Structure formats: C-alpha cells, structure tokens
C-alpha cells in the first residue's frame, strides 16, 4: 500500500506516482508554506490520545503483541508524541523562537524566525540568518522498532520538510496507519507525506526517491543501507542513525542481584535487537594479571569470569521465564547458531565456552572488544580491565552507543567520563539502556538540527 | 558402496517403507567412509560422541549429528581429492556465503539413475520438441551456482526448439527482460509444439501479473507445462497463495493445475523432490527427512513444525549424509495424501530468523566487518 498526498494507492501504482512526484514536489516547494511546528504538535497530541484509546491495537496485534506489553508500548510511544514532549523537543533542539513563530509574519511565507547579526569587521553591514527545512527528506526506516518509520517522518515534519518514506518490509501497516491518522488530524500536512512500501531490492525506485531528496535519513538495520551508501546521488546529505553496538560495563562493586536482574530484564525485553541493547557484558577483570603458573582455566581472573557467568545465567533464565516466548523462527535461528558453534568447537574453529540456559545462553570470550551477540537472550561476557577500556573501545569508536554501568556510586562519574572519551554516547544504569524520551539525542546529535539548514541574506 | 547403488536403482522410487533397512545400511557405509576419510568430520562425530557403527536401525538415523548448511558455508569439507571429482558446485548463497561441494563418480551415476527414475515417473521426458521459457539465469561463465545450471539442464528432457531467458546477461551483468519473454510467448502460443516454463516461481508470477495488467493472454499448446524450482528467492514477500498461481496460469496460458510442477532440492542435498498431484513433496527412497525441535534439536513426530534435516547416502566426496537446513517444515505421515503415493511428504513453512528484520545492531556488525575492523 502507498500513501501519497493524503490518499491510499495500490503498490502497483508506484511507477506512475513516482512519475508525478517530482513536479508535485516542485509545486509544493514553490507555493506551499512549510507546516508549522504547532500544527504537527497538535496533530501528534490527538494521535497519541487515539493510540491510547486503542486505535492501532489491530496493527499491533498483527505484529505479535500481547495485550499487556502492547498497552505498555502504546503508553511509551504516546508519551513521546504528547504535546509537552514535542514542545520540549522543539525548544531543546531548535530554540524557543520556533515555538513562538506560530504566526508567520505577513511579509514572509516562511515561518522560520530570522536573526539579524552584525558581523565584526564588516563595516556595520547586517547578515540575516534563518534556519529553514532541508526541503525534501527521504527516510529509509528500519523494522526493528515498531512505528519508528512514522516517528522519523514526524521529526521530518517538525523541521518543516516534505517527507518520502520507504517502509521496512516488516512494518505490517502500522506506520502507514499512523501517518494516515496524522494527516486526518491536520489535512494541510497531506502534501508533506509520501509513504511507499517499496521492497529493499527495488533499487531503481529507491534511487528515484533518493534523487528527489535534499537529505536521506537512513535508520540502521534496513537492508537498503548498503545500497544507499553506494548509490546515493553525490553531494546529497546522508543522515545515518543507528548501526551502533551497546554493552554493559560491570565492576566488582556493581555485581549485585538487583543490578543483574535489571540487566537481564533489559536483555530479554529488547531481545538485543536495538542499537541500545546490551550485546556484551564487560567485566573489570584482567586476564593478563594471572601468573604464568596458572593454567588458563584455573587462574583467579578466569575463575571470576566463570563465577560471573554461573551467577548471571539463572537470573537471565528467570527473565526469560517472565517474558513472552520467542517466535519459532527466531528460536530456531538461535538454536542453529549455538549448535553450529558447538560443532565448530569440536573441530577447533571456535574456542569459546558456552553456558546454556533455558531460552538464553552466555558465551565466555577471552578477548575484550565490543561485538554483536547471537541476540535473543544470548549474551557475550568478556574481560576488560579499566586500564585497557579506552584503547579497546577506541578500536570500535564509530559503532559505540550506550553503556549500561554496573558499578559503585563512587566509581560512576570517573567511569562515565572515561566511556565518553572512548566514544560512548549515552551512559545509563543497568535496566535503562533502551529507555527513550522525547529529549533524547539520536546517536549524539539533534535530528531537528540535522533536518534543517541555515540560510543567510547579506545586505 | 554396493548399498548406495542398490538404493538408487530401487524399482519403486517412493517405497520408503520397503527400503528402511537398506537406507540405514547405505548411511552406515557412507558414514564409515566419511569418518575414515574426512578428519574434520571425524572430529565432529567424536565431539558429539557418535560413531558410525551406532547406525543399526532406522531410529538411529536421528542420532547421527546433522551438519548445518551454515557450517558448510563457513568450512569446506571434502573426503576425496577435489581435483579428481567430476562435478563441483556452489550454492546460491545469500550475503556472499556459499557452500562448496563436489560429487564423486558414484554420486553422479546415482544422481543420473535418480533423474531418469523421477523424469520417467512424472513423464517429464518427451520426444516431442518443446519451446522453453527459462525463468532464471542465462548461462554465463560468471555464474557458477547450481541453480543457474539446473534450470538450463532441465531443458534437455526433450528436444529443444527455442530457449528464451528472463534473466539475460548484458554488458552491466544480469538484467530482467520481460519484453523479450512476452515476444517469445507470442510466437510460442502460435506454435504447434508445447512450451515449458523453467525456473524461479517469483519471475513466473511477475510475468503473469504483467500479462494481466496489459490484458494479454497467450493460450499455449496442449502439453505445455510450468516447472517451478529454486525457491522464491528475494521475492518471498510476493509469495502468493498457490491457488492464485494455478488460477492465473490457467487464465493466461491455459495450463491446467496438474501441469504446474514444483521441485525442491539443495546443493547440499542433491535429491530431486518433485510434487505430486496434490502439490506435496513426497520423500523418495533416496532421501529421509527428520524434523527437529527448534529448542532441543530432538527428532519430532509427524505433523509437528521444526527444523528440516535432510539425509541421503548419495555423496561420498563430501560428508553430506545428514544436513540441517535453515528451513522450517512439517513432515506429514505416510498415507496422508490422496495422490496414491504412500511415502511421507514434506511441507516447507519458511526460513529461520525474523523475516526481513535486520536489526540495527546487526547492521553495525556488517559495517564493521565490511570495514575490516
């Protein structure tokens, strides 16, 4: 299904719609007034209310949500779409004048506030600056967070852009429904929203959409990312979110039942599918401290690692028991992977020890660097002493996102600053690694800033 | 190797019930050979605590540790000198990972007698000249995948008048040429000789949809058939209800449902499964299927969904005796199909993993590997 300028079309009509799109976009850019933040904020507020009253339950049920988790998800999503949240977001990212600029001055078609500056050493001449939308944004959204494609478009709208969205194949109609409802709330948004369900391998169509765009917003995880990196029109602004790995860092003081339970809950709840999901648990343990006399298995540092795995496994199992069972396809994928690793171990291709639990596992690794786990409750445990933390993380600096800290309160500040210097973007407690609010930066940057540009008028 | 020859020349290709003991012996003979000639396979069996001599009864087949296709994609296993093998093939691996396998002369002869048997059974061979629409790759030296070769191979079951490919090779690599196919269809529908479609189901479906859009019909001569194989590839999203497929084939080409034939096989399990009148894949004597629990990998009873484990003693060149695919399927009990064949039949439900959700964390890992970090 395609949603184009306020109307639904059949997927088959993609070609003819794309034929029309460029001249229609030019028409809107020529004559249209970009939507005001206030318009979108009000529409989102109504949408949040509708979501809470069950408007999207059918789509969410189609995605496999059960009633309890579904209500929780809706509440979380709605809290980000509420008026207070979005106002705070615009205020934080763009500044107060963008909320105040709701009534465009009659002289200007653009709502963008102006700032008149007098640059030093320029003979008193003025330079007028405005932050204006990029123009046309092409969003390539990932399917790992339900409804994320719609949120990406809402952010694009908040910054005043026309939005073309390529849905992930796993979307199941939720994002299209959300955007359709949004446009129902504020019909003037219709010319600013174009949603296509193009499959990721339809390269010609994706490239045509990319060709219309001033900025391409790529959410990590979608198969089209590689394609876009290779084929995006030269010079187009590529805004990539995601492609990140996250981990937990655990010091001796941080090993408490409460902390481990929170971490286990996070791992099982997110199924390790998010950029902010914990893939690896680093222990502040130094294997190189072990003398040469010790065999690797009996060394004190190794015993600490083994002890940790043995303590954490039942806690992880407990979290699995309380969670919604995994679907059969994902279960099979994990089982197959662990079985393959077992065989590889027998043939000497794989030297890691696996602790198996019910619906989860811990793989003990001897070297310490961030790595993707098998996911779905199968976590890696690695030694990483504090003194080697920075060099080890710097090797992967462009892929780092969230670090969940399990440590004593007197260690927290020092470790946080060390993690930030190593490239980490967010430091959290053990259970809140994937907690999101309206004020979060994406990967260390404000999206509304990146979806806009500064234009200048010189006298 | 006598047991293998006996199995592959067995008179009734669906007599799985009558070949249980023979199949087990052939597996034991093959397993013993692999154990002695492929050191890595021996390590795997030793590590899993299994010895070939444990293969005594058909129930023991479930105890033989299956080798996942993912393992074969990462590690090449051979039990014979690769240079002396008559055939080498690679699977059409996704994301660049391919398994490399070889066939020994004995496997080639076994395969040939299987192809003759299957072809005769389903009356695929004919002396009538045929026109061919290959809904797959035009042969080119850059494409060594087995799937490219089999589609063309199947066109040799009859004399060939003309062969038209949907995936043609041009200066920029392969491209889809529906217009060329439509022109050929126009000619073929006016020929007095029948036409056969070969290859990927998805392209055949897209072609029929295109004809419907353009309101074109090409009723094909009597005896025309559609052969489907090679899976739905990247077009799983378009995977249509088979009923719709048959209806459209009748509508556009005047080909009856009974003349739409689907086959199933894998490079790692080179057994030709062809569907019956009810479009079920019955297990032939050359093969056995074990469905395994997705948690414990224990064999499951008939009718339950799990990982598809395929067994055959056909190949000696590599240890392909028991292969764990990444497909999920159900094995239906013998006698549950009204087509008259008594052997159990396999239904493929889908692939492991969350369909098309590549997570952002996994995306990062791909990029990291791409950048060789």
């Amino acid at each position: 299904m395609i949603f184009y300028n306020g109307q639904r079309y059949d997927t088959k009509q993609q070609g003819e719609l794309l034929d029309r799109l460029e001249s229609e976009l030019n028409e809107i850019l020529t004559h249209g007034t970009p939507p005001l933040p206030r318009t979108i904020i009000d529409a989102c507020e109504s949408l949040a209310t509708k979501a809470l009253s069950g408007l999207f339950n059918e789509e969410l049920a189609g995605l496999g949500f059960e009633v309890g988790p579904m209500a929780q998800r809706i509440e979380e999503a709605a809290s980000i779409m509420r008026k207070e949240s979005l106002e705070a977001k615009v205020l934080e990212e763009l500044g107060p004048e963008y909320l105040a600029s709701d009534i465009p001055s009659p002289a200007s078609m653009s709502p963008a506030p102006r700032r008149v500056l007098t640059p030093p050493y320029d003979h008193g001449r003025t330079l007028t600056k405005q932050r204006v939308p990029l123009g046309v944004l092409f969003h390539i959204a990932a399917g790992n967070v339900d409804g994320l494609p719609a949120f990406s478009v809402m952010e694009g709208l908040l910054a005043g852009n026309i939005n073309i969205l390529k849905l992930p194949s796993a979307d199941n109609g939720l994002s299209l429904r959300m955007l359709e409802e949004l446009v129902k709330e504020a019909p003037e948004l219709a010319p600013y929203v174009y949603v296509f369900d193009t499959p990721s391998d339809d390269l010609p169509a994706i490239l045509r959409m990319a060709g219309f765009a001033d900025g391409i917003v790529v959410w990590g995880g979608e198969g089209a990312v590689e394609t876009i990196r290779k084929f995006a029109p030269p010079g187009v602004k590529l805004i990539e979110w995601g492609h990140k790995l996250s981990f937990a860092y655990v010091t001796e003081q941080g090993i408490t039942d409460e902390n481990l339970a929170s971490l286990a809950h996070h791992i099982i709840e997110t199924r390790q599918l998010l950029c902010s999901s914990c893939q690896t648990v680093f222990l502040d343990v130094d294997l190189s401290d072990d003398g040469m006399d010790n065999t690797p298995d009996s060394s004190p540092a190794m015993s600490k690692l083994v002890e940790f795995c043995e303590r954490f496994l039942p806690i992880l199992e407990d979290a699995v028991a309380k969670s919604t069972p995994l679907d059969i396809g994902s279960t099979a994928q994990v089982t197959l992977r662990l079985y393959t690793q077992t065989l590889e171990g027998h043939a000497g291709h794989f030297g890691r020890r696996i602790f198996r639990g019910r619906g989860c596992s811990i793989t003990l690794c001897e070297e310490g660097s961030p790595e993707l786990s098998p996911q779905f409750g199968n976590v890696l445990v690695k030694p990483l002493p504090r003194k080697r933390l920075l060099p080890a993380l710097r090797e992967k600096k462009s892929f780092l996102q969230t670090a969940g800290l399990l440590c004593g309160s007197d260690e927290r500040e020092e470790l946080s600053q060390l993690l930030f210097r190593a490239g980490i973007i967010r430091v959290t407690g053990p259970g809140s690694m994937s907690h999101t609010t309206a004020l979060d930066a994406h990967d260390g940057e404000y999206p509304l800033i990146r979806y806009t540009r500064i234009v200048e008028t010189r006298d | 190797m006598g047991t293998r020859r006996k199995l592959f020349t067995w008179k009734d290709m669906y007599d799985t019930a009558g070949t249980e003991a023979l199949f087990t012996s052939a597996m034991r003979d093959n397993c013993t050979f692999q154990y002695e000639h492929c050191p890595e396979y021996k390590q795997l069996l030793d590590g899993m605590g299994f010895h070939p001599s444990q293969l005594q009864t058909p129930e023991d087949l479930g105890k033989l540790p299956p080798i996942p296709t993912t393992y074969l994609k990462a590690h090449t296993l051979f039990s014979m000198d690769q240079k002396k093998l008559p055939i080498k093939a690679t699977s059409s691996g996704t994301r660049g990972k391919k398994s490399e396998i070889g066939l020994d002369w004995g496997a080639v002869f076994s395969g040939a007698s299987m192809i003759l048997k299957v072809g005769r059974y389903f009356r695929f061979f004919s002396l009538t000249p045929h026109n061919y629409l290959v809904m797959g790759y035009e042969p080119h030296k850059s494409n060594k995948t087995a799937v490219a070769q089999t589609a063309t191979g199947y066109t040799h079951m009859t004399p060939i008048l003309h062969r038209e490919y949907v995936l043609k090779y041009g200066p920029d690599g392969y491209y889809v040429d529906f217009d060329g196919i439509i022109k050929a269809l126009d000619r073929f529908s006016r020929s007095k000789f029948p036409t056969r479609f070969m290859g990927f189901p998805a392209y055949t479906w897209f072609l029929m949809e295109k004809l419907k859009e353009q309101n074109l019909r090409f009723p094909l001569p009597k005896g025309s058939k559609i052969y489907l194989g090679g899976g739905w590839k990247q077009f799983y999203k378009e995977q249509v209800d088979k009923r719709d497929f048959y209806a459209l084939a009748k509508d556009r080409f005047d080909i009856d449902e009974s003349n739409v034939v689907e086959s199933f096989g894998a490079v790692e399990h080179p057994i030709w499964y062809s569907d019956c009148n009810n479009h079920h894949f019955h297990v032939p004597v050359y093969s056995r299927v074990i469905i395994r629990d997705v948690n414990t990998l224990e064999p499951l009873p008939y009718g339950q969904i799990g990982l598809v484990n395929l067994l055959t003693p056909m190949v000696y060149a590599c240890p392909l005796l028991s292969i764990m695919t990444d497909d999920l399927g159900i094995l239906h009990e013998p006698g549950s199909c009204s087509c008259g064949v008594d052997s159990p039949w396999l239904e493929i439900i889908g692939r492991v993993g969350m369909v098309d959700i590549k997570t952002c964390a996994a995306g990062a890992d791909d990029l990291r590997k791409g950048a060789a970090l």
Side-chain angles (χ1 to χ4, degrees), chain A residues 169 221 275 333 335 339 344 349, chain B residues 40 66 75 294 353 356 358 360:
Chain A
S169 338
C275 299
Q333 182 183 330
T335 305
Y339 176 66
E344 286 178 329
H349 298 302
Chain B
E40 186 164 332
H75 316 285
V294 296
D356 201 52
K358 264 186 77 188
C360 51

Side-chain angles (χ1 to χ4, degrees), chain A residues 144 169-170 201 220-221 226 243-244 273 275 279 329-331 333 335 339-340 343-344 346-347 349 375 396 399, chain B residues 40 44 47-48 66 68 70-71 75 234 294-295 297 305 324 353-354 356-362 364 367-368 373:
Chain A
N144 59 334
S169 338
D201 48 37
E226 286 298 301
H243 297 301
K244 302 289 176 186
L273 295 176
C275 299
Q279 307 292 338
S330 306
T331 310
Q333 182 183 330
T335 305
Y339 176 66
T340 305
L343 291 180
E344 286 178 329
H346 294 318
H349 298 302
Q375 304 179 304
K396 304 276 166 69
F399 300 104
Chain B
E40 186 164 332
L44 299 183
M48 296 300 289
T70 45
Y71 190 98
H75 316 285
Q234 66 270 48
V294 296
N295 279 303
L297 296 182
I305 182 168
M324 184 94 88
M354 284 195 306
D356 201 52
I357 302 185
K358 264 186 77 188
T359 74
C360 51
L367 281 183
R368 185 177 60 75
L373 284 167

